[in-house]
Amino acid sequence: ARLLSAAELRRYRGAPGEPGLYLALLGRVFDVERGRKHYGPGGAYSGLAGRDATRAFASGDFTPAGLVDDVSGLSPHELLSIHSWLSFYSDNYDPVGKLVGRFYDENGAPTEALREAEAAIEEALKFQAESEQRKQQFPSCNSEWSSAKGTRFWCSRQSGGVSRDWAGVPRKLYHPGSQGSHCVCVRSTGPPWGQPGSSQHSDRGDLDDPHLEQYEGCHPLAEQCVLRG
């Protein structure tokens, strides 16, 4: 693969007389000539051209302070944004080579900084997958409040934005390490989540999950619950 120095990459900002229009993301260089209206001089993203501004893809900070390749301290959500952008460029623009610097050494080998960034992105992807699985297992309840009736929680086959063939019953879901809880709908029949083929189960769905708590004063199998006050 072609190796470019930071000085070489700066020559590819798309100005008249310059050899082309490149940008780098996590040290990978792409030819973005076909996106000249966005990345060329005067374009909304012209600040990304001719450099590795990976952090800006996550933060949206296009000031000189933000147009840098340092990704330390980014949140999982911001790391997922970088991952998404990298997929976008890989799918839509031609790769040119690698930028020698933070993410690749002078031989084109990944640096420790790149390995750390990729590991952090993998963790963020894993967290996202687990969160999506949790949402499917425990969709949020519907809720409404009035001064006369108090708070009503109820479950339906669409609540929480998750279409399913069961409604579920309201329960408090606690997250490990957190004192707070929120109302979720819990499947009350069949095998527990993740054991679809199991024949040895109590036919209580996920009601026995240790992170759940029943609402006081509500029937344990009622699809709605009203809390006064």
Side-chain angles (χ1 to χ4, degrees), residues 187 190-201:
R187 193 165 45 84
W193 179 269
Q195 303 177 35
S198 173
S199 59
Q200 301 296 320
H201 60 81

Side-chain angles (χ1 to χ4, degrees), residues 14-111:
E18 292 186 341
L21 185 57
Y22 294 172
L23 63 73
L25 183 60
L26 279 182
R28 294 168 60 179
V29 183
F30 296 91
D31 183 338
V32 293
E33 179 62 42
R34 67 170 62 105
R36 172 170 284 274
K37 67 178 181 180
H38 304 296
Y39 304 106
Y45 301 112
S46 59
L48 301 172
R51 70 175 86 206
D52 187 327
T54 297
R55 193 176 190 89
F57 286 93
S59 67
D61 180 0
F62 292 96
T63 67
L67 292 168
V68 295
D69 58 2
D70 180 12
V71 296
S72 61
L74 293 180
S75 69
H77 177 74
E78 290 171 322
L79 290 168
L80 288 174
S81 180
I82 290 174
H83 174 75
S84 177
W85 277 110
L86 190 57
S87 297
F88 169 79
Y89 285 109
S90 297
D91 291 342
N92 292 280
Y93 293 99
D94 295 328
V96 174
K98 299 172 182 176
L99 175 64
V100 175
R102 184 182 296 273
F103 300 115
Y104 292 96
D105 66 19
E106 61 275 9
N107 298 313
T111 64

Side-chain angles (χ1 to χ4, degrees), residues 158-183:
Q158 302 287 333
S159 58
V162 177
S163 298
R164 53 196 187 275
D165 58 5
W166 51 275
V169 297
R171 288 290 188 275
K172 297 177 188 177
L173 175 65
Y174 289 88
H175 297 283
S178 172
Q179 297 296 316
S181 67
H182 72 281
C183 182

Side-chain angles (χ1 to χ4, degrees), residues 134 138 172-176 208-213:
R134 206 69 166 165
F138 296 127
K172 297 177 188 177
L173 175 65
Y174 289 88
H175 297 283
D208 297 321
D209 188 286
H211 299 115
L212 297 173
E213 182 180 315

Side-chain angles (χ1 to χ4, degrees), residues 79-80 83 115-129:
L79 290 168
L80 288 174
H83 174 75
R115 285 190 286 269
E116 289 177 359
E118 289 178 337
I121 288 172
E122 282 300 314
E123 279 297 307
L125 288 168
K126 180 181 176 183
F127 178 78
Q128 181 186 51

Side-chain angles (χ1 to χ4, degrees), residues 201-218:
H201 60 81
S202 59
D203 196 34
R204 286 173 49 82
D206 292 310
L207 289 176
D208 297 321
D209 188 286
H211 299 115
L212 297 173
E213 182 180 315
Q214 186 177 325
Y215 282 98
E216 189 174 344
C218 297

